[in-house]
Structure formats: C-alpha cells, structure tokens
Amino acid sequence: MTAELGTVTLIGLGALAAGSWLAVLWRKTGLYGLTLLTVLTSICLGYFFWHVEKPFPLSLDRILWGILIVALGADFLRRRTDLSCLTRADLFAGLLVIYLLISAVGVLLLTGGTSGLSRWLFFYAFPATLYVAARRCEITPWNERATLVVFSVLGVYLSLTGLAEVFGWNALVFPRYIADTSITDEFFGRARGPLLNPVANGFLILLGWTAWTVFTVQAPPLRRAMFLVGHGLFAAGVACTLTRSVWLSAAGCAVVVGAWITPSRFRAAWVTTALLMLMGAGLVAGVYFREMKRDRHLSAGEAARSVQLRPLLATAAWRMFQDRPVFGFGLAQYDQAKLAYLEDPTAPLPLRQAKPYTQHNVFLSLLVETGLIGLGLFGCFLAASAEVLRRHWGNPARPMSFLALVAVVAYVVNGLFHDVSIILDVNAVLFLMIGLAVRESSRDVADIPQNARLRSPVAFTE
C-alpha cells in the first residue's frame, strides 16, 4: 500500500510539472500541438518506455490521451460541430468504431473475455480520438509545416536508430529498451525501433521520407542539394528493417511520390518505367528475399518458412469465414477460434503448421473477426478517404493529402502480409493522417497548376 501511495504521489507531482508545460503548448499551438505531442509520445515514449500497473495501468501516452479527450470535450462545448462539413470518411470511420465496439462487447457478454475490449480501446478508440482531434484542428500553413517538420525529424531519428540496431551500436540506441531482448527478442537485429516492430518502423520512416521529399521539391536549388543527401539516410533506414513488405511498400510509395511530383505530361511514362523496373528487380532478387537471414535469432530457413505459411493462414481464414460470414467470430478472437480449424484432419493443407502464428493479412483478420460488415466498413472508410485524396491529387498546396496518400499505400501493402491493425500505433498514425487530409480539404486553397508544381512555392513554405 505504501509503495502504491508513493507511486501515486510521484505521478501526481510529475503531472503537475508536465501540466505547466502543456499549458504553454496549448496556448501556443492549441489542439493541434497536443494531438501531435500525443502521437509522438505514443511512438517514442509509450508503454515500453515507462508504465505502471498499480494502482491502475498508466503510461505517458495514456495520460496524454486522457488530456486530449478532455481538451476535445472542451472544444466541442466551445464550438458547435458544423454537420454540413461531415464527409463520408467521417461517417464510415464512426460506423467502423461503433461496430467494432459492439463486436467487442458481444465477445465480453458471450465468453467473459476482455481481449476484444482491450483491442478496441488501444487499436481503434485511440486512433479514432486522433482522427476526431485532427478533424477539429485548425489547419494553417504553420500547422502544416510543423507536421512536415515533426515527421521528417521522426523519420531521421528512426533511420539513425535503425542503423545503430543493425550494426550493433547499442550505446547509440535510445530508448535503451530497443536494444534489450528482455522485453522480446522478436525482430532483434533489424531496425525495429521504439515500437519493437520493423513493419511499424518502416511505415513511419516512409512517412518521414515523404515529408522530407516535400521540403526537397520546394527548396531553392542550393538548399535542395543538401536535402537530397538526406534521402540516402531514409533509404538506409528502410533497408535496415530487413522486412520484405516494407521494401514493397517503399517501392509502391516511390511510384506514388514520383507521380505526385512529376508534371502530368510525363506521369504515364514515369509510372510505366517505374513498374517495369520494379518487376525486373523483383525477378532478380526474389529468391534472395525469400531466403535471406534477417533476425539474429532466426535462421534463413525459418525466414523462408514464413512465406510458405501464408497460404495456410489464408486457407484457414477462408474456412472460418465460410462458417461466420456476416458478423465473424468477434474482435480479437482469431487466435482462439482458429484452433478448431487448424486441427481439422480433413483440411486439404497441413494447417496445423500455422498454429503458433496469428493472421498475416489485416483484411483477412478483419474478415474473420468482424465479418463482411467489419471489413466492408473499413474498406468504405479507406475508399472514402481515397476519394478525398484523389480530389487534391498533385496539388502542392495540400501536403497533408500527400502524406495521407502515402500512409494509405504503405498500410495496404504491408497489410497484405501482416495484420498491421494489431501493431502499436500503425492505426493511430493512419487515422491521424487521414483526419488531417480530410480537414485540409475543407480549406479554401486555390489549386496550383500541375505543370507549375516544381517551381511554385506552396502555402506552408510562405
């Protein structure tokens, strides 16, 4: 009891000290700064960095999340919501979060398990809070520039940390737990970053690389040369993830970025050339990618086996979907529900080999756990978001739409090979970027001609 009282006292004193700084941040940046601080803290100084379980579970990002909810409540009381500004993306995001909550509550009532509610709380409610905050923020040129700077710096930090991880320079790794296998030795030896997952790390580096590209394109010629040097660091950071899906998503994002900044008369040629080069590179390096050694505790043969498991996981997901196609088995119930199907002796494939593994496809995972309704709502959310991004295609006055487009591409490509929805902060960053892009689309910014995108200054650099 004494230890718990001491913990509460220290937390209270720390909260008072941090509160004074948050008050300064709020006065200077408002809701926007608090939203960016929350997501950055969740990424870099989240649960693995510091947490307590008693008298109640707390971490720095959870504290900021609570403060953000209070700030949002105050903002709603101060400013009424203009319902005419709501978009289809808002509608489908809301319906998705509500439906997943119903699914999680159903699991609790039927089985007594709380895994569904935990999954909903940290992997959907938290991203939804960031989405709502992004939609409520004032998108100004200063805010857009701040977002680009923040994600550029984050990408540089993650790339440098990734290089230190791969080369074993543990003294340069911060936070220290990244180079510590006592939490988990999974992915050790790759650039797994503060989220301890190379897929999430690569996803964030690609966003930082995109923000850096915006600065590169819009910089004066002399300064542009300095920015070009930084692209090598981002490329090295992506390479150090040693993760095939990250490399594929980087290739897909490169095609999108090139098409975005290329004048319209050259865009078709760029896309064609890029796709042909990617196909050629894939044919040449395909065997090596399948059998390369990546983790320090994982052999090349085990790495190759992960590719062979995916058809088994897909087959199991299809058989499960056929039994419960509409509502699924319930949020976060795949690992429990799969056992009966993997042990089925009548299965056409040796599904038992996939028993230790979770689903490796975010769309199949949603389909099995939440049925056609859950997957349909998520697909509609992405489609509605893509429609907003398409309307502002190639307009350099819409940098948030650019970052959101890259986030969606990287999420979908990685999601074909991993259940990225259960990787810390991937959903959070995706929802945040889409929310910022949708909010930005409501700004009265004149479209800049596409053939002038490389020479015209954009709004956020003025």
Side-chain angles (χ1 to χ4, degrees):
M1 184 64 182
T2 304
E4 293 180 6
L5 181 60
T7 300
V8 172
T9 303
L10 288 175
I11 292 174
L13 292 174
L16 289 174
S20 60
W21 290 101
L22 288 175
V24 175
L25 177 70
W26 177 266
R27 190 165 58 250
K28 295 292 185 182
T29 64
L31 191 60
Y32 201 94
L34 181 58
T35 303
L36 281 182
L37 178 63
T38 301
V39 74
L40 276 178
T41 302
S42 184
I43 292 169
C44 300
L45 303 173
Y47 181 84
F48 297 122
F49 178 75
W50 175 84
H51 67 274
V52 294
E53 297 296 339
K54 295 181 178 181
F56 36 81
L58 277 180
S59 58
L60 293 177
D61 55 328
R62 293 176 186 177
I63 294 172
L64 283 173
W65 181 17
I67 295 173
L68 180 60
I69 292 174
V70 173
L72 275 174
D75 187 67
F76 274 106
L77 292 175
R78 184 174 62 88
R79 296 185 299 150
R80 288 187 176 182
T81 302
D82 184 3
L83 297 180
S84 65
C85 293
L86 296 180
T87 66
R88 281 179 290 183
D90 301 330
L91 172 65
F92 287 120
L95 290 176
L96 174 65
V97 174
I98 292 171
Y99 174 73
L100 294 180
L101 174 60
I102 294 172
S103 179
V105 171
V107 169
L108 176 65
L109 295 177
L110 292 175
T111 68
T114 60
S115 59
L117 283 176
S118 298
R119 174 81 61 82
W120 178 82
L121 189 64
F122 296 112
F123 294 92
Y124 291 99
F126 176 55
T129 305
L130 296 175
Y131 180 87
V132 173
R135 291 288 284 113
R136 299 287 296 181
C137 289
E138 292 295 330
I139 303 295
T140 64
W142 189 94
N143 287 342
E144 289 178 332
R145 186 177 180 84
T147 303
L148 292 170
V149 169
V150 164
F151 276 94
S152 294
V153 172
L154 177 64
V156 170
Y157 155 69
L158 294 176
S159 298
L160 290 173
T161 303
L163 286 169
E165 290 181 77
V166 169
F167 288 102
W169 303 331
N170 294 341
L172 302 178
V173 175
F174 179 82
R176 302 290 301 183
Y177 70 81
I178 299 174
D180 185 3
T181 59
S182 62
I183 298 177
T184 175
D185 63 357
E186 189 176 20
F187 310 122
F188 189 69
R190 302 196 227 175
R192 58 182 189 168
L195 297 177
L196 302 184
N197 191 294
V199 176
N201 209 38
F203 175 76
L204 294 171
I205 292 174
L206 287 174
L207 278 181
W209 196 353
T210 304
W212 189 271
T213 300
V214 174
F215 285 129
T216 304
V217 170
Q218 298 300 331
L222 291 179
R223 196 184 303 170
R224 189 177 299 167
M226 298 190 327
F227 276 107
L228 287 173
V229 175
H231 288 269
L233 174 62
F234 287 104
V238 169
C240 285
T241 63
L242 300 177
T243 303
R244 293 170 289 237
S245 68
V246 172
W247 295 346
L248 287 173
S249 64
C253 291
V255 175
V256 171
V257 170
W260 182 281
I261 65 177
T262 302
S264 57
R265 61 183 180 275
F266 301 126
R267 188 177 300 144
W270 157 255
V271 173
T272 302
T273 302
L275 291 177
L276 289 175
M277 291 177 63
L278 291 176
M279 290 175 60
L283 291 174
V284 172
V287 175
Y288 169 73
F289 286 168
R290 284 196 300 270
E291 299 179 356
M292 68 178 182
K293 177 176 173 59
R294 298 176 293 173
D295 300 2
R296 293 180 191 172
H297 306 299
L298 186 70
S299 67
E302 290 171 319
R305 194 175 303 122
S306 68
V307 177
Q308 301 167 1
L309 284 171
R310 283 181 167 82
L312 304 182
L313 293 168
T315 300
W318 176 249
R319 292 167 66 89
M320 295 170 73
F321 163 70
Q322 288 178 309
D323 282 351
R324 298 192 183 182
V326 179
F327 300 105
F329 287 83
L331 190 63
Q333 296 307 296
Y334 173 81
D335 286 336
Q336 181 63 34
K338 71 179 181 182
L339 300 177
Y341 294 85
L342 298 182
E343 297 290 344
D344 185 1
T346 64
L349 295 173
L351 301 182
R352 185 176 298 179
Q353 297 178 16
K355 188 175 181 179
Y357 301 90
T358 191
Q359 182 53 245
H360 279 35
N361 183 299
V362 66
F363 305 105
L364 290 178
S365 178
L366 273 172
L367 184 65
V368 168
E369 293 186 346
T370 63
L372 286 171
I373 297 178
L375 180 61
L377 288 173
F378 184 68
C380 289
F381 170 62
L382 291 181
S385 304
E387 173 59 22
V388 173
L389 306 180
R390 184 196 64 80
R391 290 202 305 267
H392 304 295
W393 171 261
N395 186 353
R398 306 288 189 181
M400 297 300 99
S401 295
F402 187 24
L403 261 66
L405 178 61
V406 170
V408 170
V409 171
Y411 187 96
V412 169
V413 174
N414 280 295
L416 294 174
F417 304 93
H418 305 276
D419 185 0
V420 289
S421 69
I422 61 174
I423 301 176
L424 285 175
D425 287 324
V426 174
N427 272 358
V429 174
L430 175 72
F431 276 60
L432 172 66
M433 296 315 305
I434 291 177
L436 291 175
V438 174
R439 182 69 180 90
E440 181 189 58
S441 68
S442 65
R443 280 183 59 207
D444 184 17
V445 178
D447 287 342
I448 296 177
Q450 293 183 354
N451 59 5
R453 62 166 56 85
L454 293 181
R455 62 176 182 270
S456 297
V458 295
F460 56 83
T461 59
E462 294 177 347

